Every structure is written in C-alpha cells, then in structure tokens.
Amino acid sequence: MNRDIYLSNSLGGRKEKFKPINPKKVRMYVCGPTVYDDPHIGNARPLVVFDILFKILKCKFGNSSVVYVRNITDVDDKIIEGAKQKKILINKLTTDITKRFNEDCDYLNCEKPSFEPKATENIPLMIDMIKILIKKNNAYENNSHVYFDVSSFKDYGKLSNKNVDQLFAGARVEVSENKKRPEDFVLWKPSLKEEPGWDSPWGRGRPGWHIECSAMSKKYLGDTFDIHGGGRDLLFPHHENEIAQSRCANDNKSLSNFWIHNGFITVSNEKMSKSLGNIYKIKDFYKKYNGQVVRLALMSTHYKQAMDWSDDLLLQSQKTLDKWYEHQKKPEGKVLIPDEDLNPLYDDINTPGYISNIHKLYDKASKGSDKDKEIFTMACNFIGLLIEPKSKWLEFKKNILEISEEEILQKIKDRNKARDNKNYELADKIRNELLDKGVLIEDKDDKTTWKIK
RNA sequence: GGUAACGUGGCGGAAUGGUUACGCAGAGGAUUGCAAAUCCUUGUAUCCCGGUUCGAUUCCGGGCGUUACCUCCA
C-alpha cells in the first residue's frame, strides 16, 4: 500500500507522518509488564494497541522488515514486596506471572514480538551503561547508590513538558539523603542479603527502575530507533528518565523518534486501582468470554482516549462477533483488503473507524458473493479477529452453557410436538424456559435450530 | 499549584471549515401460530461565551466540566 502512516507523537504533541530511519528495518520498543501480579485489563490495552501497530507496520514495510521488542521486567521492588506478601520465592513469582502474561497474550490473540528480553538476563549491559554515565559525569555514586544527575541533561522534561524547577519545588518526592537533588533518580541501589542482587563496581545490588529499558532497547534496536510505546502513565517519569539515560550514555540526539502512549482504562469513570478494588484481571474473562470479545472491546475506542470498561461494552462486542461469524469465510488464495477500508488504521491506528468499515464490508458480504465474504473475513483477520473457525467460536459458547445439548434437543422435540398439536401455550413455555438458560430457538422453514443468546 | 488529554444523538464511538459516520438500543413495516433471525424504512447530537470566516461542531482565545500525570502503576 502506498499511503503513509500517521502517528500521534507525544514528543512534540502532534500527529506526524511516520518515516522510519531505515524502511528495511523498522524498529519498535514497547514497555512490557513488571511481573509482580496478574495482568489486568489495563495491561491488555497496550498489548492490543501495539499488536495492531505491529501489523500495520508489517503491512506497509513487509513482514521481515519490522522488529518489535517488548521487555519483561523481572527485577523490581514491587516484585520483592509481592513475593514477601505471598510468601513465595521471587523466582517463583516472576516465572508464574510471566507464564500468565503469555497466556493472556494468547487469549487476546496478540502476536509474539520479535524479542522479549528479560531484565535479569541483561544486568551486565545495565552496569556497563551506568559505568559510562558515571564516566561522563551524568551520574554519581554515593554510599553504594548510583544516581542520575538530572541537571547534567539539558533536555530533561522535553517529552512530558515539565519544568524541573517547578516540578520538584514542592518536594512531594521522597528525598533520599544520598541524592544531591530531589529530581535525581536511582540507577543502582544496594540489595539486602535476601534480596536479588548482582555484583557491581558499587557493591552487590540491583538496577533502578528505568535503566533496563535503556539497556535492552540499545541491545536490540541500537542507539536510536523509530517507535517507543507504552501507557500514558509511563510518559513521566519512566520515559523521560529513559531518554535522559540513553541519550547521555549514547551521546546522541534522539532515543526514539516517535513516542506513542495509550490512554487509560477506567471503571465507572475512575481509574482502576487496588485501593478501589476495581481491577479486572484478564484471566477473569477466560471463562465467560472468548478472547476475541475482549480484544474487540479494547479496539472500540481510539487508543489515545480513555475508555470506560463495562459489561455492556463486552456484550456489545460479543453480539457484533456473533453477527460477523455468520459470514466468515476463510480466504482461498490471495485476497486484498481495499486500501480505502484500510485507511483509518494508517491514520493514527484509528480502530473504531476501521471497525466501521468492517461493518460496511459485512453488509456487502451478507448480500454478496463468496469473494465479498472473503474480503470481509480478511479485514477482520487483519486486526486479529475471526481467525479461529466458527466451530471453535460456537464450541466456546456451548461450553459455558449450563444445559447439555441433549436436554436442549429433547426440549425442542417436546416443543415441536406441542406445536403440532397447536398447543402454543406449552410451546411458548418451553421456549421461555430455554431462553432463561440462554438458549434461543429459531423456527426456520420446517426446521428448528437453537443458538446461544 | 504545574502539565496534558477530553467534553458529539438514549448509550458506545469516528470524522469533518459548508454534504450519511458506524454499531447498539428505540420506532414503523415485511415475515412468523407467537417469536427469533433476516430484510426494508426511520427519528434524535456536536458543553458555554467570544473571535477569525461568506460559513465552525471542526481553527484561535476565554470559561465551565471530566479525567489523568506530577508518587509504584498500562
């Protein structure tokens, strides 16, 4: 496809034409999970958003020309805390949560990134980077801690539009005695005996909260790459600090040319938080909804917007997919999605606009030829929907039903007997009984079929 | 207090300097024993006040409101 991709760049705050440094190697880094607790629906949003961006980039530049890196942060104070609370070993917690994270990715039908590096497997790189920062006077050691000296980096605050003087004037930040200034942030800190630690020039310790992304993005994507993504909340301080570290260590003008941030998921218009108890874990949806339902729900709002999560949203998505599955037809041979239908995705990943186009393609498919059905299905497949066969979709629904298929068929027999005898009262009663159990009966021609409501 | 995003019909949610979003729900009709499904038809909207303009929901300014970030967080 010839048309250009446009993306909203947080750095600068406007929508820009996307131009990769090297079209034969488009590079994207997305901040992955810190594996300390089960992933929730808020974590799911960037997974799906950047999965779609990955697909768009591959469509534009070619499958083998896009490198997507998503890290796993498996060393962090929250992990230490979480393991303590659950009274399990740190290693057990991180492997368990990483496993669950991968299950969630499969459930949501997200493609595997090109690389999924773990922080703990790249500690030496972080130590090297910290060494460089100290050597260049961008960092200082004090009492086994190493801090980044924010005053040494002129562009600090440029990404998040923050003025350092104002930012820390009130000092709501905990000021450590070891820091020179409150805005400085930790690169390395000492570990207690029972805490995970690695030997370093500053003693046994562990890395700070931001350095892992700087080290791993450099390893896989180089000093400057094309896209860096993550949730809005990472904009400050995480991404600001990443930029400071990387640019000082690498001595260059840009870490990533594009910064993309997805909005939050709220519940009843409030941010999900543990204290409010309004967290929806992804695995909580496994039983009730096919992963595609959750995926479509996540795509129903533009990624930049906040989105309010509700049952109604899921039910609507379920209904839409039910309808769409009626005309699913696996493409045979090469089928192209018309450019004009693809347009919204190229314009800042406008998934709701694209979904609207799918509805139009559906209309055509429902009245048109097999080819139309194939185009429609292809359009769904592009954003990770309707890939699994209809039989599987129906099977999932059957499995969550509380009534067996035999019982249903028996009830239908009973009802049809009643109908033959013109005992419509009884027939309607049976139908309503089934409806209460979520089974909908349809009389078509001479045959009675059933489906899940 | 600082920084940002947002405010579109009953709901969800795009786009746009002048013309149908789209989906769900609703209404009417065809069909049906009644329904369901399907098909056809259909109503309803751009927070407030200024400015720019022939014309603004769209651009600019102000106000009000919502939310987020500034502290670990997708």
Side-chain angles (χ1 to χ4, degrees), chain A residues 130-336:
Chain A
I130 296 169
K131 275 191 203 161
I132 293 171
L133 287 169
I134 292 175
K135 205 171 167 190
K136 289 187 172 173
N137 282 323
N138 294 111
Y140 56 91
E141 186 203 352
N142 188 11
N143 204 8
S144 306
H145 291 70
V146 182
Y147 290 98
F148 186 88
D149 180 355
V150 166
S151 68
S152 73
F153 181 58
K154 273 186 191 154
D155 282 343
Y156 193 84
K158 214 174 160 191
L159 176 70
S160 54
N161 288 306
K162 291 200 188 300
N163 177 317
V164 177
D165 296 336
Q166 282 174 351
L167 191 56
F168 293 94
R172 270 157 91 188
V173 180
E174 195 186 335
V175 183
S176 160
E177 282 181 7
N178 300 309
K179 280 189 198 178
K180 282 186 191 165
R181 293 177 207 83
E183 63 266 33
D184 293 347
F185 55 91
V186 74
L187 298 171
W188 190 265
K189 59 168 127 185
S191 290
L192 299 173
K193 252 188 192 164
E194 68 273 19
E195 291 171 344
W198 291 262
D199 289 328
S200 81
W202 320 285
R204 184 177 172 276
R206 60 185 188 275
W209 305 305
H210 317 291
I211 192 77
E212 88 270 17
C213 287
S214 286
M216 292 190 281
S217 65
K218 183 183 169 80
K219 175 176 173 183
Y220 290 95
L221 302 176
D223 291 357
T224 304
F225 47 93
D226 300 299
I227 296 171
H228 192 128
R232 270 222 88 74
D233 53 331
L234 296 180
L235 202 127
F236 187 90
H238 184 60
H239 288 159
E240 197 71 69
N241 291 355
E242 258 185 68
I243 289 174
Q245 295 162 347
S246 290
R247 283 187 48 195
C248 290
N250 300 332
D251 225 346
N252 68 355
K253 285 196 174 135
S254 172
L255 171 60
S256 173
N257 291 338
F258 278 77
W259 290 79
I260 318 270
H261 292 101
N262 66 270
F264 270 94
I265 287 181
T266 58
V267 175
S268 306
N269 287 317
E270 274 179 317
K271 185 181 162 177
M272 282 198 299
S273 75
K274 284 195 170 167
S275 53
L276 289 167
N278 59 355
I279 293 207
Y280 290 89
K281 292 179 175 181
I282 299 172
K283 66 173 183 178
D284 290 343
F285 296 106
Y286 280 17
K287 274 191 182 162
K288 208 169 165 192
Y289 298 103
N290 185 300
Q292 294 183 73
V293 176
V294 179
R295 188 177 169 98
L296 179 60
L298 286 166
M299 294 189 290
S300 69
T301 301
H302 187 101
Y303 77 90
K304 275 167 71 185
Q305 304 264 28
M307 85 180 292
D308 203 50
W309 196 254
S310 67
D311 286 343
D312 196 51
L313 180 69
L314 286 165
L315 290 174
Q316 202 165 306
S317 301
Q318 167 88 41
K319 212 168 167 177
T320 302
L321 286 163
D322 265 328
K323 190 173 117 177
W324 284 358
Y325 258 109
E326 288 298 313
H327 293 292
Q328 185 210 33
K329 186 171 188 307
K330 203 179 167 192
E332 286 166 28
K334 223 183 180 182
V335 174
L336 291 175

Side-chain angles (χ1 to χ4, degrees), chain A residues 1-6 17-18 56 59-61 337-340 342-343 346:
Chain A
M1 180 152 159
N2 281 328
R3 76 157 293 164
D4 295 308
I5 295 171
Y6 286 80
K17 190 194 277 188
F18 175 67
I56 296 167
C59 179
K60 167 85 183 168
F61 298 100
I337 306 163
D339 278 3
E340 61 194 71
L342 225 34
N343 272 346
Y346 275 61

Side-chain angles (χ1 to χ4, degrees), chain A residues 69-82:
Chain A
V69 179
R70 187 180 61 208
N71 65 289
I72 287 179
T73 299
D74 54 355
V75 54
D76 186 272
D77 287 1
K78 289 197 295 294
I79 295 172
I80 296 173
E81 194 56 35

